[in-house]
Amino acid sequence: MNLKKGLDSSKSIYEINPHTMMILPKITDGELHSEILELNARYISKFTPFEIIKTSCKLYGASFIGRKDGTKHLIGVTHKPPLIIDPLTFTYAFPTASPQNPNCIWVFPQHIRDYDSFKINQTAIQFANLNTYEIDISLHSFNNQVARTSMLHMKYSQKVRAIEAEYPYINMFFPPATLAAEKQLIYQVDKKLHNEK
């Protein structure tokens, strides 16, 4: 996995995206920074994991508090709540501890291939790219966080489907970004008119 540089400027901050797998705390020169794991890359950032989470929530149109309140409304979880970071790409994340805890790791479960107990109060996670990492969280707590995130995804998806069923033309003027661009040339040229010019 390649280490990508360029995120250690005090002006740039990592933006969570559909490739983000995990954000870990990293102590450098006595200061809390972040190590970010993507499917095919690894980044180091001078920002804390919590700062990255809060900033990415804003970049996708909501505050951290707003995302947290949304989780509370949908599934009733207030302690270590999973979050919908980007609803368009179904990017979810959950914390392994209180978000304010400097040891908190943020896991993006959509990339988890498998996980199991590693040592006492540790869980080994294998991601879709077949890389395995051991983190400090019991298997019981990890199972709870995965289940909560799954419940959040289910409740949010049900809500979206219900709205789409009730208002079928809601996306008429704002189609999904993946459908907005034309994939092929669909226009036909009338050769007769073209030759007359």
Side-chain angles (χ1 to χ4, degrees):
M1 194 177 301
N2 298 328
L3 174 62
K4 304 250 179 137
K5 295 182 180 177
L7 286 172
D8 39 7
S9 155
S10 59
K11 293 184 180 178
S12 66
I13 189 164
Y14 176 81
E15 183 176 330
I16 291 168
N17 63 72
H19 300 285
T20 310
M21 297 191 311
M22 196 159 55
I23 302 175
L24 303 102
K26 182 178 177 64
I27 302 296
T28 307
D29 298 328
E31 292 188 12
L32 181 62
H33 297 158
S34 298
E35 179 178 1
I36 302 124
L37 304 176
E38 284 190 356
L39 286 168
N40 297 305
R42 183 171 68 95
Y43 300 92
I44 302 297
S45 169
K46 284 191 175 178
F47 293 90
T48 69
F50 194 32
E51 287 172 334
I52 291 171
I53 290 289
K54 289 191 291 187
T55 301
S56 288
C57 285
K58 287 180 184 174
L59 290 171
Y60 290 112
S63 67
F64 169 78
I65 298 298
R67 294 291 189 217
K68 187 177 171 185
D69 286 346
T71 296
K72 180 181 176 183
H73 176 75
L74 289 170
I75 62 171
V77 173
T78 57
H79 180 62
K80 297 192 295 185
L83 302 177
I84 303 171
I85 303 293
D86 177 20
L88 183 64
T89 60
F90 294 101
T91 301
Y92 294 77
F94 66 77
T96 60
S98 167
Q100 289 84 4
N101 185 325
N103 297 313
C104 179
I105 297 169
W106 287 86
V107 180
F108 295 74
Q110 55 269 32
H111 297 299
I112 295 175
R113 186 172 187 262
D114 196 12
Y115 63 92
D116 203 352
S117 179
F118 179 63
K119 292 178 182 175
I120 296 173
N121 293 327
Q122 285 193 327
T123 300
I125 311 166
Q126 184 181 55
F127 287 98
N129 62 4
L130 303 182
N131 289 337
T132 302
Y133 302 92
E134 295 85 30
I135 63 171
D136 292 329
I137 182 174
S138 70
L139 182 62
H140 175 74
S141 293
F142 195 85
N143 272 328
N144 280 345
Q145 290 300 82
V146 169
R148 288 171 166 181
T149 310
S150 181
M151 178 66 75
L152 178 61
H153 174 67
M154 184 185 75
K155 291 286 188 182
Y156 177 73
S157 297
Q158 286 173 346
K159 189 74 174 168
V160 169
R161 283 195 298 271
I163 291 169
E164 288 173 344
E166 191 171 348
Y167 306 101
Y169 300 106
I170 198 159
N171 285 329
M172 188 167 69
F173 297 109
F174 300 101
T178 54
L179 300 178
E182 296 173 10
K183 293 183 177 168
Q184 59 183 350
L185 184 62
I186 57 171
Y187 305 104
Q188 294 184 3
V189 177
D190 186 330
K191 291 180 182 177
K192 189 176 176 183
L193 287 174
H194 187 70
N195 290 335
E196 290 176 358
K197 289 185 178 179

